[in-house]
Amino acid sequence: CNFAAGKLPKHNNISWRGNSCTKDGDPSGQFKDLAGGYYDAGDAIKFNFPQSYAMTMLSWSVIEYSAKYEASGELNHVKEIIKWGTDYFLKTFNHTADTINVLVSQVGSGDTSGGMSTPNDHYCWTRPEDIDYERPVATCSSCSDLAAEMAAALASASIVFKDNKAYSQKLVHGARTLFKFSRDQRGRYSASSTEASQFYNSTSYWDEFLWAGTWLYYATGNNTYLQLATTNGIARHAGAFWGGPDYGVFSWDNKLIGAQVLLSRLRLFLSPGYPYEEILRTFHNQTSIVMCSYLPYFTSFNRTKGGLIQLNHGRPQPLQYVVNSAFLAAVYSDYLDAADTPGWYCGPNFYSTKILREFAKTQIDYILGKNPRKMSYVVGFGNHYPRHVHHRGASIPKNKVKYSCKGGWKWRDTKKPNPNKLVGAMVAGPDRHDGFHDVRTNYNYTEPTLAGNAGLVAALVALSGEGDSNIDKNTIFSAVPPMFPTPPPPPAPWKP
């Protein structure tokens, strides 16, 4: 993986990447060893918030589609990628404790405001392998959104690794601890950090409560998590009942629709009935409405002339939102197929599940080159793709020269294409006029992100294979107890 940090495994197959930031951590503090994990994008900062969302997305795709991963020979690979992330998360809090009061939120720094020229991960243009400046460790003590998202990552991964009992239990325990912390010490993680609010600002933590509660329920079968995830008040705070321009937009910041799709799954296959039915029916209806809003017949979201849905309303870096919606549409259409439901209603009109897959497919086709510029936004796919990707490692040749902080700027600013190919990386994407500038310094076009690429992988695996609905119906429910009450014992044998 081009975003991987730490001491890379022996079989790392990217020749121009090596061990990096192996000394991450706070030598005098609680978190001495923070090597590993993933950088968030083309620079070298580890933001736990989008990183844990990316791992949750990958785990979800593996739980639903492990057979497809297996068929493409990628199952072990994707599980290694997830474990690389979860192993790192276990270092960022006291995962053996039942209660914690502090959590690592970020390693590295990117603040260049006010012309700051202290060597850091945005000011310096160096290979991650060559970083030798101080990398500060940021922690937080009231960060509900971050702790809950990390809980969701560990809980979903525990289902992926359910055959490895010891590891799976370690993940579940960590997830419970994080979730308790997120509920006990309320606050937005980005409220106390200027960097987090600048780069990955979280708007609220209520959606993470729903999302993590749902994942913990699936991971443990413990009803208290389901009760929490189906609490009216939490859903209301998360924005379930009041629409708004970003309603139905799934991203590292907003998990509401993801949680609703996951809980609709519960209703479709296990219909738990009272006392959950009322809110599950509401979530199911809202999922239907969001799926309608993705279709081209409705005007909730604009489309570019080339047909790309504008889920972030024309703001830059659209593709990460597009791939997330494509994944949700594909997975939801597979749920309906697996539940023998041919489609769903948008107002008086009935639409077949094929239409949902069609939406997902047209959007992914656009990303892969079926657009006005005939440009593939995935590096290495097709003949015409971005050559000046905003990524430090990819832009500096492997020539045994160690560039200083500013010495690397010449590689940032050169018009020459990157010497190293970031094969498979999806960049930020075109603007709202289908325009694209293949310029390294314009990260709004050319920067790939970890979270966006996790969504791409999920969408591609969901759409692969020929139209046969092949979600794995049962694995996600393996910890969930039977939904019906236990029958009374049989009567004693009757004697006249």
Side-chain angles (χ1 to χ4, degrees):
C1 182
N2 295 312
F3 299 107
K7 189 174 181 330
L8 298 186
K10 293 224 180 356
H11 56 265
N12 159 46
N13 57 359
I14 301 166
S15 61
W16 48 273
R17 281 299 321 273
N19 301 338
S20 64
C21 298
T22 52
K23 295 196 166 63
D24 275 357
D26 175 6
S28 56
Q30 180 184 345
F31 303 104
K32 290 181 178 52
D33 168 22
L34 292 172
Y38 293 103
Y39 305 125
D40 76 294
D43 41 46
I45 308 177
K46 297 193 292 208
F47 287 102
N48 276 15
F49 192 49
Q51 184 178 174
S52 44
Y53 170 75
M55 294 306 113
T56 312
M57 284 298 283
L58 286 179
S59 289
W60 187 5
S61 72
V62 171
I63 293 164
E64 302 287 10
Y65 298 114
S66 61
K68 289 184 174 188
Y69 276 112
E70 184 80 86
S72 65
E74 289 291 327
L75 183 59
N76 288 335
H77 184 203
V78 73
K79 285 169 84 166
E80 279 168 13
I81 288 173
I82 294 167
K83 190 167 184 296
W84 191 264
T86 51
D87 282 351
Y88 168 73
F89 296 144
L90 292 171
K91 296 176 169 185
T92 60
F93 67 105
N94 182 356
H95 71 267
T96 54
D98 293 333
T99 307
I100 56 169
N101 55 18
V102 64
L103 173 63
V104 171
S105 56
Q106 179 184 336
V107 178
S109 161
D111 187 7
T112 52
S113 59
M116 263 185 34
S117 59
T118 327
N120 76 18
D121 298 296
H122 279 172
Y123 181 74
C124 298
W125 194 269
T126 44
R127 304 180 189 92
E129 290 77 4
D130 293 340
I131 288 175
D132 53 9
Y133 46 80
E134 286 285 292
R135 282 167 58 82
V137 172
T139 57
C140 59
S141 52
S142 69
C143 36
S144 304
D145 32 25
L146 171 63
E149 183 54 66
M150 287 176 67
L154 297 187
S156 55
S158 77
I159 304 173
V160 170
F161 293 108
K162 70 180 193 338
D163 297 340
N164 177 346
K165 243 192 158 94
Y167 190 62
S168 186
Q169 279 167 344
K170 189 193 264 189
L171 293 175
V172 168
H173 183 271
R176 287 175 180 271
T177 299
L178 285 166
F179 195 60
K180 180 182 184 325
F181 170 60
S182 83
R183 300 277 300 147
D184 289 349
Q185 290 176 231
R186 298 287 173 90
R188 284 187 313 119
Y189 96 106
S190 50
S192 58
S193 155
T194 44
E195 288 222 350
S197 60
Q198 198 182 338
F199 301 114
Y200 289 101
N201 186 42
S202 168
T203 37
S204 112
Y205 49 71
W206 299 98
D207 54 312
E208 278 84 14
F209 283 166
L210 280 183
W211 175 239
T214 305
W215 278 116
L216 269 158
Y217 174 64
Y218 284 149
T220 62
N222 181 328
N223 264 350
T224 50
Y225 293 119
L226 182 59
Q227 282 156 10
L228 188 136
T230 52
T231 305
N232 231 327
I234 293 181
R236 193 177 65 246
H237 282 303
F241 308 117
W242 36 275
D246 293 327
Y247 190 73
V249 180
F250 187 38
S251 74
W252 53 261
D253 178 31
N254 192 349
K255 328 290 159 44
L256 171 65
I257 178 59
Q260 290 179 321
V261 168
L262 272 177
L263 288 166
S264 301
R265 192 190 206 289
L266 186 69
R267 181 170 188 254
L268 278 164
F269 298 124
L270 299 185
S271 49
Y274 180 83
Y276 308 111
E277 169 57 19
E278 196 180 340
I279 185 100
L280 289 181
R281 186 176 63 225
T282 306
F283 284 166
H284 195 165
N285 282 342
Q286 290 174 335
T287 300
S288 299
I289 290 167
V290 168
M291 296 299 158
C292 302
S293 77
Y294 291 164
L295 301 182
Y297 319 107
F298 301 97
T299 52
S300 322
F301 298 105
N302 291 331
R303 298 250 186 315
T304 66
K305 281 207 173 73
L308 188 71
I309 188 169
Q310 295 288 281
L311 293 161
N312 65 339
H313 309 291
R315 294 191 292 270
Q317 308 174 19
L319 296 186
Q320 52 174 322
Y321 305 98
V322 174
V323 290
N324 289 343
S325 68
F327 171 70
L328 289 182
V331 83
Y332 187 65
S333 80
D334 282 351
Y335 289 174
L336 293 177
D337 286 347
D340 290 326
T341 309
W344 84 113
Y345 280 96
C346 297
N349 298 329
F350 187 80
Y351 292 97
S352 85
T353 53
K354 276 198 189 68
I355 304 250
L356 261 187
R357 284 188 89 77
E358 198 45 41
F359 156 73
K361 207 171 140 325
T362 53
Q363 296 303 308
I364 297 295
D365 283 347
Y366 179 104
I367 292 170
L368 295 178
K370 208 169 171 186
N371 56 56
R373 300 187 73 90
K374 306 278 184 280
M375 166 71 97
S376 155
Y377 293 109
V378 176
V379 177
F381 186 85
N383 301 322
H384 188 43
Y385 51 81
R387 309 280 169 162
H388 304 79
V389 180
H390 180 99
H391 186 283
R392 283 157 174 69
S395 68
I396 302 176
K398 192 175 180 184
N399 58 7
K400 298 205 164 72
V401 179
K402 186 171 174 179
Y403 296 96
S404 68
C405 226
K406 285 173 82 164
W409 287 11
K410 68 171 188 189
W411 297 111
R412 181 191 68 189
D413 301 334
T414 174
K415 299 267 190 291
K416 289 190 179 137
N418 287 354
N420 306 313
K421 225 183 255 174
L422 268 170
V423 176
M426 178 182 79
V427 296
D431 60 31
R432 59 205 169 102
H433 306 295
D434 299 302
F436 183 78
H437 297 291
D438 188 4
V439 177
R440 199 174 292 104
T441 45
N442 195 332
Y443 54 84
N444 278 334
Y445 290 108
T446 56
E447 188 165 29
T449 62
L450 182 67
N453 278 273
L456 173 70
V457 169
L460 288 172
V461 77
L463 287 169
S464 68
E466 273 314 297
D468 38 351
S469 140
N470 37 11
I471 53 156
D472 175 335
K473 208 157 139 180
N474 300 318
T475 295
I476 201 167
F477 298 136
S478 35
V480 173
M483 285 285 175
F484 36 82
T486 33
W494 183 76
K495 284 200 181 75

